[in-house]
């Protein structure tokens, strides 16, 4: 593929100078912003992520900020997850659905206070939907995209690295909770979260000006920990079953089809715009669902369009993300499979760009 032309529409991030200096080899576009995908190689980055610690420019996880007396009410209108017990200092992974129950996004909701929330979005224009709802219902809430850019620290040495810069108090942050820490006079929320299963944190960097100073401080502190620039890893996230909005699911899918039923409390999520639609579809149950699928043979190429899954010559689903796993020594993938073929061990065939391959359905992911 050719090279992307830089322009104002394709936003840089507060960390782009650091990412370039670290030798980024490939980018994707996410929320109209640059997201690194490769530094050394996807396989080398994978090994390093699992063994050491990486700094990820995930500024593409843009924040939709809700501020005002109706912020909590608006947040509940967006999701079938019951938010009544959520406290300031907590993060929730929340499906966002439209009036048909279709997935619009799968962000992390961050509750800063009763009347101030961030929605840390995946790749879709959620700001427009949220502004439309806020104005259409005449809610007393301000909705905008603040100058906040997440920087993730991921990998087994994340605690040690972050403790050196912010103190041992970071070790006490529990999974999907955040606390406030100071850097160069700026208060920053740091959560134990991130788009890998290797452990780590996300720093919500408020104020672009401190982006590069923070990036540099983390690299200086972690030299002997073998800290490197990294990015969400295509192999590791498939092994861990972390879904990618726009790839593994779209607005044609319900949260239940995506395996996100555990994040839905549709009965009690009063006010959720998709509630009636979801109550209807939940009664029947989904007829297709996301599954882990192993694919036989040599390493497969990247999956840039759905690969059909067949059994007995009939289409039974599709693979939407795939990669060779060095640790599991098989191709790992994520797909959507029809109910009749979604049980553990079901044997299928997948049509890859390099021909038909045997595939096996799994009911759990690799890690
Ligand atoms: N962190 C933040 N914002 C994000 C992402 C993130 N925005 C974009 C994208 N990632 C949103 N999608 C996801 C997908 C999975 C998870 C988080 C965001 C995730 N899932 C865990 C899991 O499935 O094991 C934990 C879910 C839970 O138990 O609550 O972390 O990564 N800020």
């Amino acid at each position: 593929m050719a090279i992307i032309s830089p322009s104002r529409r394709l936003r840089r991030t507060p960390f782009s100078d650091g990412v370039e200096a670290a030798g980024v080899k490939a980018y994707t576009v996410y929320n109209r912003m640059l997201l690194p995908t490769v530094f050394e190689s996807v396989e080398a980055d994978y090994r390093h992520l699992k063994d050491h610690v990486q700094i990820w420019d995930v500024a593409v996880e843009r924040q939709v900020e809700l501020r005002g007396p109706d912020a909590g009410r608006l947040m509940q209108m967006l999701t079938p997850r019951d938010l009544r017990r959520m406290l300031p200092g907590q993060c929730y992974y929340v499906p966002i659905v439209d009036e048909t129950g279709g997935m619009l996004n799968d962000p992390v909701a961050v509750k800063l206070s009763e009347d101030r929330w961030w929605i840390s979005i995946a790749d879709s224009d959620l700001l427009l939907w949220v502004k439309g709802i806020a104005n259409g219902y005449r809610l007393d809430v301000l909705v905008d995209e603040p100058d906040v850019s997440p920087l993730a620290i991921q990998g087994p040495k994340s605690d040690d690295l972050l403790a050196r810069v912010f103190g041992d108090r970071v070790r006490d942050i529990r999974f999907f909770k955040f606390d406030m820490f100071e850097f160069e006079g700026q208060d920053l929320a740091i959560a134990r979260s991130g788009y890998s299963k290797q452990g780590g944190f996300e720093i919500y960097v408020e104020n672009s000006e401190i982006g590069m100073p923070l990036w540099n401080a983390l690299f200086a502190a972690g030299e002997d920990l073998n800290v490197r620039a990294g990015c969400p890893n295509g192999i590791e996230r498939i092994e861990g079953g972390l879904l990618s909005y726009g790839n593994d699911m779209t607005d044609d899918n319900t949260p239940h089809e995506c395996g996100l039923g555990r994040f839905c409390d549709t009965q009690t999520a009063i006010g959720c715009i998709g509630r009636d639609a979801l109550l209807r579809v939940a009664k029947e149950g989904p007829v297709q669902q996301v599954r882990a699928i192993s694919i036989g043979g040599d390493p497969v190429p990247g999956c840039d369009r759905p690969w059909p899954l067949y059994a007995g010559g009939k289409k039974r689903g599709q693979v939407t993300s795939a990669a060779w796993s060095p640790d599991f020594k098989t191709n790992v993938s994520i797909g959507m499979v029809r109910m009749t073929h979604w049980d553990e061990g079901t044997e299928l065939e997948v049509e890859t760009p390099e021909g038909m391959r045997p595939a096996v359905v799994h009911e759990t992911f690799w890690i």
Side-chain angles (χ1 to χ4, degrees), residues 30 61 63 81 92-93 105-108 120-123 150 175-176 193-195 197 202 204 240-243 262-263:
Y30 194 104
E61 298 169 352
Q63 307 306 301
R81 187 159 178 188
Y92 272 16
Y93 182 40
N105 206 291
D106 69 329
V108 175
S120 186
I121 64 172
D123 186 21
F175 186 63
F176 266 59
S193 58
Y195 199 64
K197 291 286 199 180
E202 290 178 302
Y204 290 84
L242 296 173
L243 303 181
R262 67 186 187 283
F263 301 110

Side-chain angles (χ1 to χ4, degrees), residues 247-259:
N247 286 319
D248 305 318
M249 57 185 154
T250 71
D251 60 1
D252 280 337
N253 302 118
T254 65
H256 304 282
E257 289 177 340
C258 303

Side-chain angles (χ1 to χ4, degrees), residues 73-82 95-99 101 129 133 137 255 264-279:
R73 178 176 167 213
L74 174 55
M75 190 68 231
Q76 187 66 82
M77 291 172 82
L78 302 174
T79 180
R81 187 159 178 188
D82 189 337
I96 304 289
V97 298
D98 66 15
E99 75 288 356
W129 170 257
I133 305 236
Y137 284 87
C264 297
D265 319 279
T266 313
Q267 283 294 345
T268 60
I270 309 295
C272 168
I273 284 167
R275 184 165 173 266
D276 291 348
L278 283 180
L279 286 173

Side-chain angles (χ1 to χ4, degrees), residues 109-356:
V110 181
K111 184 170 181 177
L112 298 156
S113 66
E114 289 305 329
D115 59 4
R116 187 162 173 241
W117 299 64
W118 284 336
I119 311 174
S120 186
I121 64 172
D123 186 21
S124 79
D125 291 324
L126 197 68
L127 182 65
L128 304 178
W129 170 257
V130 179
K131 275 182 176 282
I133 305 236
N135 285 285
Y137 284 87
R138 302 185 183 283
L139 300 183
D140 188 0
V141 62
L142 292 167
V143 179
D144 62 11
E145 185 186 296
D147 179 14
V148 173
S149 295
L151 185 65
I153 319 303
Q154 299 285 297
K157 302 180 189 170
S158 296
D159 280 68
D160 292 338
L161 175 57
L162 226 54
R164 292 183 187 181
V165 177
F166 292 100
D168 275 325
R169 196 163 55 90
V170 297
R171 299 182 192 275
D172 302 333
I173 306 170
R174 306 215 342 217
F175 186 63
F176 266 59
K177 298 231 169 40
F178 71 86
D179 205 346
M180 302 305 294
F181 294 83
E182 204 191 289
F183 183 79
E184 293 193 350
Q186 175 79 50
D187 275 326
L188 301 175
I190 303 184
R192 192 180 289 277
S193 58
Y195 199 64
S196 89
K197 291 286 199 180
Q198 304 310 309
F201 302 88
E202 290 178 302
I203 308 173
Y204 290 84
V205 180
E206 216 169 334
N207 179 4
S208 296
E209 294 277 293
I210 64 162
M212 280 314 300
L214 176 58
W215 174 279
N216 290 328
L218 288 164
F219 278 87
E223 219 168 321
D224 61 311
L225 297 176
N226 193 14
V227 63
R228 288 191 201 162
C231 50
N233 185 273
I235 309 168
E236 196 271 349
R237 74 109 183 147
I238 295 172
E239 291 179 350
L242 296 173
L243 303 181
S244 167
Y245 187 80
N247 286 319
D248 305 318
M249 57 185 154
T250 71
D251 60 1
D252 280 337
N253 302 118
T254 65
H256 304 282
E257 289 177 340
C258 303
L260 301 179
R262 67 186 187 283
F263 301 110
C264 297
D265 319 279
T266 313
Q267 283 294 345
T268 60
I270 309 295
C272 168
I273 284 167
R275 184 165 173 266
D276 291 348
L278 283 180
L279 286 173
R280 276 195 299 276
V281 301
K283 213 179 292 173
E284 307 281 315
V287 298
Q288 58 177 355
Q289 203 166 51
V290 159
R291 281 290 181 273
I293 298 161
S294 52
I295 301 176
D298 289 338
V300 290
C303 185
D304 62 358
R305 69 197 70 185
W307 297 343
L309 281 163
Y310 297 97
K314 277 200 168 135
K315 189 172 178 239
R316 309 295 186 175
Q318 58 186 12
V319 162
T320 48
S321 299
W324 173 261
S325 163
D327 282 359
F328 296 97
K329 301 196 178 358
T330 182
N331 293 296
V332 293
S333 79
I334 298 176
M336 191 70 81
V337 185
R338 303 292 295 181
M339 182 168 52
T340 49
H341 291 76
W342 71 24
D343 290 343
E344 175 71 39
T346 304
E347 294 181 11
L348 300 169
E349 279 197 300
V350 58
E351 187 178 359
T352 78
E354 297 178 352
M356 284 293 200

